[in-house]
Amino acid sequence: MVESAFRELLSENSITDITVEEAFPSKGKPAKKRVGGNASNTVWIVKIRLGEDKVFLLESARGGAREWASLDNLNKWLTSHGVPKYLVSISSPANPLQYDLELL
């Protein structure tokens, strides 16, 4: 879903909920995450739910998921679009693959 469609659905109050998820970058940036370490090159993506079973990713103009390197900047962006609350999903230590992966 592109930003213009997102804004339109927001104005129509058609969005059931918004989830911000931590993810690995899709391209252009190395993935790196360590348990207990400060080094983290993960990004934040936005998932939008319409109704019970339709979930869409917010997409960039060039295709693929739109990614934010900073949760603070994403919060400012969502707030500027009138989104007062959303769920944040941070990767869990229970998923060892995400915490041990290092591509440099």
Side-chain angles (χ1 to χ4, degrees):
M1 172 183 305
V2 293
E3 186 177 336
S4 59
F6 174 71
R7 286 193 312 261
E8 184 177 332
L9 289 169
L10 273 175
S11 68
E12 296 172 352
N13 292 321
S14 300
I15 296 177
T16 308
D17 62 42
I18 296 173
T19 303
V20 172
E21 290 188 358
E22 186 179 27
F24 287 119
S26 61
K27 53 189 165 193
K29 301 172 205 157
K32 183 167 118 182
K33 179 103 182 176
R34 289 196 180 123
V35 174
N38 292 331
S40 175
N41 290 349
T42 57
V43 295
W44 301 94
I45 60 172
V46 176
K47 287 190 175 181
I48 301 146
R49 180 178 299 277
L50 302 174
E52 292 296 317
D53 58 349
K54 295 180 184 175
V55 178
F56 300 93
L57 286 177
L58 186 62
E59 297 176 359
S60 68
R62 295 183 179 173
R66 184 162 178 192
E67 300 173 347
W68 281 264
S70 164
L71 189 55
D72 288 337
N73 289 339
L74 176 54
N75 180 57
K76 289 175 189 174
W77 186 87
L78 287 169
T79 304
S80 74
H81 283 79
V83 177
K85 65 179 186 173
Y86 51 88
L87 178 67
V88 176
S89 177
I90 300 173
S91 56
S92 164
N95 186 347
L97 175 63
Q98 279 194 324
Y99 281 88
D100 293 337
L101 179 63
E102 183 172 358
L103 303 174
L104 298 174

